[in-house]
């Protein structure tokens, strides 16, 4: 069908409109419900800024979340230095996909292959981090562009799907008022929930953040690895 595709493409006329959200929603509607064991991917290629329909990163993040709930992954390729990377990143992150910057069309092949490989090598899907705090602990904010929801139990942070070998860091700023606590104190617990991308079996892992509450004016040493991670996340912002 290559000849037919070329004929249809050459018949298109540019009118100056970029209806990115409409294209994504229409593509999603063309995909049937996926049979067991089948992974479906939408690959979005754009060199512009959406000026029709949804336009802002939060709007595209919400769209990505709705598609993710339908077990559709969305990866995005942004062509040229002038494309709206904030929109493309928000859509891909919320939909469990990958984003790549493509400097020129000649370099698109490798990025295309990596997006397909990420679907094949996916090991965890539907990930979310649930943070629960005890009295005396308060989350100030989650750094970066995290999708955060307030629940009755605490905070829920939506995470991107993970492929083999991925490392994902979440940086949370918390203020602590230990009161009468001295010694070890566990003001926050975190539960990672998701499902195995191969078997679809759900899983959850819980751990506690333990701090050492010392006398007033006594400061312990900072963890250099954590400090570096916080600085890098702030720099990305």
């Amino acid at each position: 069908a290559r000849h037919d595709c070329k004929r249809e493409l050459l018949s298109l006329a540019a009118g100056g409109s970029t209806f990115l959200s409409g294209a994504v929603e229409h593509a999603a509607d063309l995909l049937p419900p996926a049979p067991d064991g089948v992974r479906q991917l939408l690959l979005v290629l754009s060199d512009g800024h959406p000026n029709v329909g949804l336009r802002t990163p939060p709007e595209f993040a919400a769209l990505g979340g709705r598609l993710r709930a339908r077990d559709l992954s969305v990866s995005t390729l942004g062509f040229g230095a002038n494309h709206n990377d904030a929109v493309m990143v928000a859509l891909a992150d919320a939909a469990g996909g990958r984003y790549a910057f493509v400097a020129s069309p000649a370099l698109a092949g490798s990025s295309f292959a990596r997006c397909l490989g990420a679907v094949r090598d996916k090991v965890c899907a539907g990930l979310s981090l649930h943070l629960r705090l005890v009295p005396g602990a308060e989350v100030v904010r989650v750094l970066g562009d995290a999708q955060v929801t307030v629940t009755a139990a605490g905070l829920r942070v939506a995470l991107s799907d993970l492929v083999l070998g991925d490392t994902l860091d979440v940086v949370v700023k918390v203020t602590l008022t230990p009161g009468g606590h001295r010694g070890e104190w566990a003001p926050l617990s975190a539960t990672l929930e998701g499902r195995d991308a191969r078997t679809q079996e759900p899983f959850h892992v819980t751990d506690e953040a333990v701090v050492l509450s010392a006398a007033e004016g006594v400061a312990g040493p900072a963890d250099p690895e954590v400090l570096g991670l916080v600085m890098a996340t702030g720099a990305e912002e």
Side-chain angles (χ1 to χ4, degrees), residues 46-49 78-86 99 101-104:
S46 180
D47 66 349
H49 295 249
F79 284 76
N82 294 323
H83 77 275
N84 191 332
D85 58 341
Y99 159 80
F101 164 59
V102 182
S104 71

Side-chain angles (χ1 to χ4, degrees), residues 177-195:
T177 307
H181 289 285
R182 288 294 180 267
E184 288 191 350
W185 181 38
L188 181 147
S189 66
T191 300
L192 181 68
E193 294 184 351
R195 66 179 186 278

Side-chain angles (χ1 to χ4, degrees), residues 46-64:
S46 180
D47 66 349
H49 295 249
N51 54 22
V52 178
L54 306 183
R55 303 186 186 190
T56 67
E59 290 176 322
F60 276 90
L63 172 59

Side-chain angles (χ1 to χ4, degrees), residues 2-16:
R2 183 183 295 268
H3 176 75
D4 293 336
C5 289
K6 284 186 174 181
R7 185 184 67 249
E8 294 294 333
L9 287 171
L10 290 173
S11 71
L12 296 176

Side-chain angles (χ1 to χ4, degrees), residues 67-103:
L67 297 178
R68 188 181 187 185
R70 294 169 52 183
D71 286 331
L72 293 177
S73 294
V74 181
S75 287
T76 58
L77 301 183
F79 284 76
N82 294 323
H83 77 275
N84 191 332
D85 58 341
V87 161
M88 303 289 272
V89 169
L91 176 60
D93 283 353
R98 291 292 185 270
Y99 159 80
F101 164 59
V102 182

